[in-house]
Amino acid sequence: MSEIPTPTSPPPDVLRCAYLELVVTDLKRSRDFYVDVLDLVVTYEDETCVYLRSLEEFIHHNLVLRQGPVAAAAAFSYRVRSPEELDKAEAFYRELGCRVERRPEGFVRGVGDSVRVEDPLGFPYEFFYDVEHVERLAWRYDLYTPGALVRLDHFNQVTPDVPRAVKYMSDLGFRTTEDIQDENGTVYAAWMRRKPTVHDTAMTGGDGPRLHHIAFNTHEKHNIIAICDKLGALRMSDRIERGPGRHGVSNAFYLYLRDPDGHRVEIYTQDYYTGDPDNPVVTWDVHDNQRRDWWGNPVVPSWYTEASLVLDLDGNPQPLTERTDEREMDVTVGADGFSYTRKEDDGELPSWKQGEYKLGEQL
Amino acid sequence: MSEIPTPTSPPPDVLRCAYLELVVTDLKRSRDFYVDVLDLVVTYEDETCVYLRSLEEFIHHNLVLRQGPVAAAAAFSYRVRSPEELDKAEAFYRELGCRVERRPEGFVRGVGDSVRVEDPLGFPYEFFYDVEHVERLAWRYDLYTPGALVRLDHFNQVTPDVPRAVKYMSDLGFRTTEDIQDENGTVYAAWMRRKPTVHDTAMTGGDGPRLHHIAFNTHEKHNIIAICDKLGALRMSDRIERGPGRHGVSNAFYLYLRDPDGHRVEIYTQDYYTGDPDNPVVTWDVHDNQRRDWWGNPVVPSWYTEASLVLDLDGNPQPLTERTDEREMDVTVGADGFSYTRKEDDGELPSWKQGEYKLGEQL
Amino acid sequence: MSEIPTPTSPPPDVLRCAYLELVVTDLKRSRDFYVDVLDLVVTYEDETCVYLRSLEEFIHHNLVLRQGPVAAAAAFSYRVRSPEELDKAEAFYRELGCRVERRPEGFVRGVGDSVRVEDPLGFPYEFFYDVEHVERLAWRYDLYTPGALVRLDHFNQVTPDVPRAVKYMSDLGFRTTEDIQDENGTVYAAWMRRKPTVHDTAMTGGDGPRLHHIAFNTHEKHNIIAICDKLGALRMSDRIERGPGRHGVSNAFYLYLRDPDGHRVEIYTQDYYTGDPDNPVVTWDVHDNQRRDWWGNPVVPSWYTEASLVLDLDGNPQPLTERTDEREMDVTVGADGFSYTRKEDDGELPSWKQGEYKLGEQL
Amino acid sequence: MSEIPTPTSPPPDVLRCAYLELVVTDLKRSRDFYVDVLDLVVTYEDETCVYLRSLEEFIHHNLVLRQGPVAAAAAFSYRVRSPEELDKAEAFYRELGCRVERRPEGFVRGVGDSVRVEDPLGFPYEFFYDVEHVERLAWRYDLYTPGALVRLDHFNQVTPDVPRAVKYMSDLGFRTTEDIQDENGTVYAAWMRRKPTVHDTAMTGGDGPRLHHIAFNTHEKHNIIAICDKLGALRMSDRIERGPGRHGVSNAFYLYLRDPDGHRVEIYTQDYYTGDPDNPVVTWDVHDNQRRDWWGNPVVPSWYTEASLVLDLDGNPQPLTERTDEREMDVTVGADGFSYTRKEDDGELPSWKQGEYKLGEQL
């Protein structure tokens, strides 16, 4: 694919990922999952939508669930530093030839003047500053549950050509903090940030545009374990797709869940400060089997292959473009792939890892 | 196999599992694992052996590593309530026709008058009361590390016929706290205790006699996570066989490691009090995929199939007797096996679980 | 006071402290505290009483709140190993000349055949075996809250003459695990156990008989912190009397609360195994300021001086007998008392500790 | 005092508080404290100084200990976004009439071109961009200890006139996140940030200029507890001045220690994101006794009154200016002060709080 040109127009000053608008096919069931299981806080709800936020948030919402015909992500929304930044967003994307829509009254409740675009990668990106403030529940420990979600941490997007995406996102003012590459320079994924954590969004190589996941923070690791324990008690343990575990990339403790529509939700805690301009970029070898799980636990195939559709500004699913570069699953756990724990090793796996890393042959 | 008769002689009053004697083939490498990685405390060591204890222990040791030609368990040792109980142990096992050896000076350092037997299941069991006291390091927080092991919790033994083993262990005064069965009454495993926790030892169905694992306690769940993190940092994550996770059985948080000889070590925390005589026995359905992992994460095949040899009193490995009952792996994750998250479900697995629970077909 | 003679009749075989019956003056307010704040589980309730249990308990209750005119403890109840032990309890106390009452139908709901006595120290002790089983909620993580109480751990009683109390409790089959003494052999407190933890009850020197506190277990330290955080959020932080902190004695992490009647409740986690008959007794110097708080934080005066009345079998408060031995508060933080961090020190306190340890003037 | 004028020169773009230079009177003893007790990592050391960093840091150091005649803070050092910002810093302070010193080779090892000033409040502030990178040890879990310090979080400065200081710091580009005021508008303290946490520094009302404390982050609350436990084990518990506890202001979990020279060190975890320009400022009532400890535990007097001297650019201690506004200790715990748990209450304290909140007599 051709490189996305750098606009002469300056990018908007993005503060942070702020909320995701998600289309769900059974609002009641999704509400049960996000409110009764994950204990997100309802800011507003009616028959067609539920607006949710995390406990430390003071803006109106971090997640909008909207009833619709096809499960998909309708908007990846970022907050910018001031109202004026919206003009920059508009100009930036218009120069890129993207479809741009601006609504002074906003696209969803609680948010005012907003710019939505179909970005060069096909994602529905939103930018806003004006937003309704709500109570920051940080001190309301009477409302905390064992798995309390306290912040929105990041998005994760699937896109075929990671370097192309990184170039565009860098133009948008994001910085790379970590990535996964192989010895030939193929890039499998990259983590990019505005706020000084490991990411506000990540670009994961695969057929796209798709939403890989949305991630919320807990304060401590036991909070994540508590969510697993609760899912077990509710006989919903099959909502757990992967983890809990420690990431290599980001050094965070994590868990991946799948919501009733299969949308992936990560619970995440304890990455590190990245706010200095010379923050060292960490590049991981795709064959290092501690890169995605520091404990070497293998990634389940669905985690590589499944993701949510994204919508264009008319609400229609974006068609997918196939990844043509090597795929991470193929080069690591696939028939011809390999992973190592110690780079210098000859690759002889202990018996208990053979089944995991050579899945085809086992039993 | 024929039932083991109940001796007329009363059993010794066992307090708790106290230590394991383990033969290792490379003492230096094993010492590195147990001392430098797991941070057990050295009570004594020389060229042929290392005596180790946990931080809250006040008796001489919980684990003896002894250099030898074949990796195996040489003794499962229990402490009894008084010196007089040794006579009972002797009489009990002699009546069972077992080989019995008593040494007033003990079989290992730090322990006095001891009885060792080749028990009816083929395991080398030891009983002692007299033992050297050492400093209980419970308050020595200057010595604690992030994954501090504070107590020996239990043994786990592999034996072909679980009900036969349970009957004999009950005669020895152990009580069952939990077990795994199927709809036909086949018993796959049973947990048995003297001290009021879920177990001092468990009987796991399989070709035996073999040692399945030895388990140590930590105080909190983050201690177990810290062990995983450290293994990652040392590029030894392939020592992790299974977990961390939450057990269904026992409700404990767990991790299974494999030592340099492949001996399995569990790190374990937070089971429950079982000391009342009418403590309710929990029976799990073998097809409930939350029984061994409350979060539904599948058990790796090696965990079912691999275990350590045990030695007779001459130091020779005991031959194995094959299990003739159904095997847990076969009936759960095998080609004809099945597991459910919700009993009433038709068994349709979400895509991210299919690979895990039907391992043969995937990719 | 004269020594309590050792009965020739054997003591009952006590399993563990099982429940406390507490008279409260405003049932609604007490229910709010124990159910809505501390999240104990209601087994049964009506207009005059609330029966509560912890999450891992399988017997009917661990705490009975009963509406009454005077806030007091009505029964310290222990479970025994079998129904037959009740006859032993009866004989044991009758031989001691104590008032004994036996009710085959029990004194409270859920409990059958029971013996209540006014013991030689003036405490209303109860013994029972027969009890209704209820669901053990250990696996019901959907019911857990951040400060989940999982077990009843112990009672703590105030009595004037600690050695006299210890002698009697030893006759009853309890073992001392730790105590606090001074250089003259004066004993200030002693911890005594049946189940293999540091205590089922403790004897604290002071005007008695009084209830010092009842203690519940959490799994981890953050659970105790969560209770404090919640009390802050509810603007009930003045319910916190002391802590959280790490005990020297017992090595447990602790918090002391005061309920609406001033009854003291401890939240407690992570003491150690004490089940061996030769378990080393730990004796602490009363002047060691890490004995009651390992971090040297001073004990508030009310903790030493305030406690709950106990009732006789007619429901009347027992009169108090004054302690004639030295009092712990006087010899440590009082005008003539002293405490040290390091025994060898000359006692010069850093400026930030002076106010705390020379409170004598302010009381 | 007269207001500090706003320079026409723009302020430097400050990233974050980066390191503190501390003069200690016994380097060996201070090294023992920061390295052997607090487990900070040594980047460099010689006979006169020790350079220390936290585990997630990638710049050369977060703390410099330098042997000297008088215990004091020699520099509060901030990192700026680019080398060019140093020119702005120089111009900004020169316009304020401050003494400014610039050294292209830096004032300490590992840091290049730097500007040091005696700021309008009398503090030795430093600004730099150029710095040596060192290994970020975030993934080196083999080096972690139970109380691992992972980041420098903030400074805290004592200054007589808080609004005056806030005005100047706002001109320097800092934003207020929280403050403490009374009903008359007297400001007792204010928290100010550049990086999006609650603060990079705080202004605490009192005789100044003095250093109140430096604060490091841990990942979880148990890490802070582990530090207390270790201090107990080392019989150094009298290094604990205050806590652990939960702050009202910042919502963080905290502990205050005093180093061998009496310099105060806070250990801190889990405040919240503040990076949005309209982040709500939280104003606490000085009489709310949950403001400084959410659990209502009283602040020890020394915490209010004691602090470290700061040096001018010649290395001489800055003279103190007395605070003329009301003092927080006086209006809260002093003889005429008062604090409440619930604003509407009549102020009747429970017995166990009376001693704590009427300390006035004892000082």
Side-chain angles (χ1 to χ4, degrees), chain A residues 130-201:
Chain A
D130 185 30
V131 66
E132 198 177 308
H133 286 207
V134 290
E135 186 188 355
R136 174 174 259 160
L137 300 168
W139 289 265
R140 289 293 306 276
Y141 290 103
D142 51 323
L143 303 179
Y144 277 57
T145 53
L149 304 181
V150 296
R151 285 188 296 282
L152 173 65
D153 192 82
H154 62 264
F155 307 135
N156 186 308
Q157 307 170 237
V158 185
T159 194
D161 183 338
V162 176
R164 186 172 179 264
V166 166
K167 196 270 176 190
Y168 147 62
M169 290 298 288
S170 301
D171 288 343
L172 190 58
F174 286 65
R175 289 171 176 279
T176 301
T177 56
E178 306 200 22
D179 62 13
I180 295 177
Q181 303 192 14
D182 66 16
E183 59 283 11
N184 305 316
T186 301
V187 184
Y188 295 85
W191 284 256
M192 306 194 77
R193 66 103 188 161
R194 286 293 305 175
K195 71 179 178 332
T197 63
V198 170
H199 50 328
D200 285 281
T201 194

Side-chain angles (χ1 to χ4, degrees), chain C residues 174-337:
Chain C
F174 285 64
R175 288 172 178 279
T176 300
T177 55
E178 306 201 23
D179 61 13
I180 295 176
Q181 302 192 15
D182 66 16
E183 59 284 11
N184 305 317
T186 301
V187 184
Y188 294 85
W191 283 257
M192 307 194 75
R193 66 102 189 163
R194 287 292 305 175
K195 71 179 177 332
T197 62
V198 170
H199 52 325
D200 285 283
T201 194
M203 293 293 164
T204 299
D207 307 341
R210 289 185 296 168
L211 165 71
H212 193 273
H213 64 263
I214 177 176
F216 290 93
N217 285 102
T218 62
H219 277 146
E220 302 201 333
K221 296 180 286 287
H222 63 79
N223 301 120
I224 290 183
I225 292 168
I227 292 172
C228 297
D229 288 339
K230 183 177 178 183
L231 286 164
L234 296 170
R235 287 284 157 181
M236 292 173 68
S237 63
D238 53 356
R239 295 281 121 214
I240 299 172
E241 185 187 32
R242 183 186 153 205
R246 167 79 64 190
H247 282 309
V249 175
S250 83
N251 204 25
F253 191 75
Y254 73 87
L255 171 72
Y256 292 99
L257 304 176
R258 300 293 290 271
D259 87 359
D261 280 297
H263 295 309
R264 188 178 287 109
V265 180
E266 183 179 13
I267 320 294
Y268 182 94
T269 191
Q270 294 163 20
D271 60 357
Y272 57 90
Y273 169 81
T274 61
D276 286 15
D278 54 347
N279 179 68
V281 176
V282 182
T283 291
W284 296 79
D285 181 355
V286 73
H287 299 294
D288 177 355
N289 73 17
Q290 294 188 180
R291 75 198 180 289
R292 290 210 176 263
D293 185 275
W294 185 244
W295 311 336
N297 284 329
V299 177
V300 293
S302 64
W303 192 91
Y304 284 123
T305 59
E306 302 182 7
S308 299
L309 294 173
V310 303
L311 302 182
D312 66 21
L313 296 191
D314 298 319
N316 298 316
Q318 288 278 18
L320 302 190
T321 300
E322 215 176 319
R323 174 170 171 90
T324 53
D325 283 344
E326 293 266 35
R327 289 166 187 270
E328 186 170 340
M329 185 172 77
D330 297 342
V331 303
T332 54
V333 295
D336 302 318

Side-chain angles (χ1 to χ4, degrees), chain B residues 68-316:
Chain B
V70 180
F76 297 73
S77 185
Y78 294 92
R79 193 163 193 221
V80 295
R81 191 169 299 277
S82 68
E84 295 69 39
E85 299 298 323
L86 292 193
D87 299 335
K88 289 195 204 158
E90 233 186 314
F92 181 88
Y93 282 101
R94 288 202 193 281
E95 188 175 343
L96 284 170
C98 294
R99 180 173 168 193
V100 175
E101 196 178 331
R102 181 161 182 172
R103 289 202 198 157
E105 76 287 7
F107 292 80
V108 297
R109 281 174 182 270
V111 176
D113 191 12
S114 307
V115 169
R116 281 198 178 180
V117 305
E118 291 170 11
D119 88 353
L121 308 176
F123 288 95
Y125 260 36
E126 180 183 89
F127 304 90
F128 73 91
Y129 172 75
D130 185 29
V131 66
E132 196 178 311
H133 286 207
V134 290
E135 186 187 355
R136 174 175 259 158
L137 300 168
W139 288 265
R140 291 293 306 277
Y141 290 104
D142 51 324
L143 303 180
Y144 277 57
T145 54
L149 304 181
V150 295
R151 284 188 297 282
L152 172 66
D153 193 83
H154 62 263
F155 307 136
N156 187 308
Q157 308 170 236
V158 185
T159 192
D161 183 337
V162 175
R164 185 170 179 265
V166 166
K167 195 269 176 192
Y168 146 64
M169 290 298 287
S170 301
D171 289 343
L172 189 59
F174 285 65
R175 288 171 178 280
T176 300
T177 56
E178 306 201 23
D179 61 14
I180 295 176
Q181 302 192 14
D182 67 16
E183 60 283 10
N184 305 317
T186 300
V187 184
Y188 294 85
W191 284 256
M192 307 194 76
R193 66 103 188 161
R194 286 293 305 175
K195 71 180 176 334
T197 63
V198 170
H199 52 324
D200 285 283
T201 193
M203 293 294 165
T204 298
D207 307 340
R210 289 185 297 168
L211 164 70
H212 194 273
H213 64 262
I214 177 176
F216 291 92
N217 285 102
T218 62
H219 277 146
E220 302 200 333
K221 296 181 286 288
H222 63 79
N223 301 119
I224 289 183
I225 292 167
I227 292 171
C228 297
D229 289 340
K230 183 178 178 182
L231 286 165
L234 296 170
R235 288 284 159 178
M236 291 173 68
S237 64
D238 52 357
R239 295 282 121 214
I240 299 173
E241 184 187 35
R242 183 186 153 204
R246 168 77 65 190
H247 281 310
V249 174
S250 84
N251 204 24
F253 191 75
Y254 73 87
L255 171 71
Y256 292 99
L257 304 176
R258 300 293 291 272
D259 86 358
D261 280 296
H263 296 309
R264 188 179 286 108
V265 179
E266 184 179 11
I267 320 294
Y268 181 95
T269 190
Q270 294 163 23
D271 60 357
Y272 57 90
Y273 169 81
T274 62
D276 286 15
D278 54 347
N279 179 69
V281 176
V282 182
T283 292
W284 297 79
D285 181 354
V286 73
H287 299 295
D288 178 354
N289 72 18
Q290 294 189 182
R291 75 198 181 290
R292 290 211 177 262
D293 185 277
W294 185 244
W295 311 336
N297 284 329
V299 177
V300 293
S302 63
W303 192 91
Y304 283 124
T305 59
E306 302 182 6
S308 299
L309 295 174
V310 303
L311 302 182
D312 65 21
L313 297 191
D314 298 318
N316 299 315

Side-chain angles (χ1 to χ4, degrees), chain C residues 221-222 225 228-244 246 253 258-259 262 284 288-291 293-297 300-303 306 340-343 345 348 350-356 358-359 361-363, chain D residues 221-222 225 228-244 246 253 258-259 262 284 288-291 293-297 300-303 306 340-343 345 348 350-356 358-359 361-363:
Chain C
K221 296 180 286 287
H222 63 79
I225 292 168
C228 297
D229 288 339
K230 183 177 178 183
L231 286 164
L234 296 170
R235 287 284 157 181
M236 292 173 68
S237 63
D238 53 356
R239 295 281 121 214
I240 299 172
E241 185 187 32
R242 183 186 153 205
R246 167 79 64 190
F253 191 75
R258 300 293 290 271
D259 87 359
W284 296 79
D288 177 355
N289 73 17
Q290 294 188 180
R291 75 198 180 289
D293 185 275
W294 185 244
W295 311 336
N297 284 329
V300 293
S302 64
W303 192 91
E306 302 182 7
Y340 59 79
T341 301
R342 291 163 295 277
K343 200 166 188 176
D345 269 16
E348 194 57 46
S351 58
W352 54 90
K353 293 292 182 192
Q354 285 171 18
E356 301 189 334
K358 284 299 167 194
L359 291 174
E361 291 92 284
Q362 89 184 69
L363 298 174
Chain D
K221 296 181 286 288
H222 62 80
I225 292 168
C228 296
D229 289 340
K230 183 177 177 182
L231 287 165
L234 296 171
R235 289 282 158 181
M236 292 173 68
S237 63
D238 52 357
R239 295 280 121 215
I240 299 172
E241 183 187 36
R242 182 184 155 206
R246 168 78 65 191
F253 191 76
R258 300 292 291 273
D259 87 357
W284 297 79
D288 178 354
N289 71 19
Q290 295 188 179
R291 78 199 177 288
D293 185 277
W294 186 245
W295 311 336
N297 284 329
V300 293
S302 63
W303 191 92
E306 303 182 5
Y340 58 80
T341 302
R342 290 164 295 278
K343 198 166 190 176
D345 269 18
E348 193 57 48
S351 57
W352 53 91
K353 294 290 182 193
Q354 286 172 17
E356 301 189 334
K358 284 298 167 196
L359 290 174
E361 291 93 285
Q362 87 184 67
L363 298 175

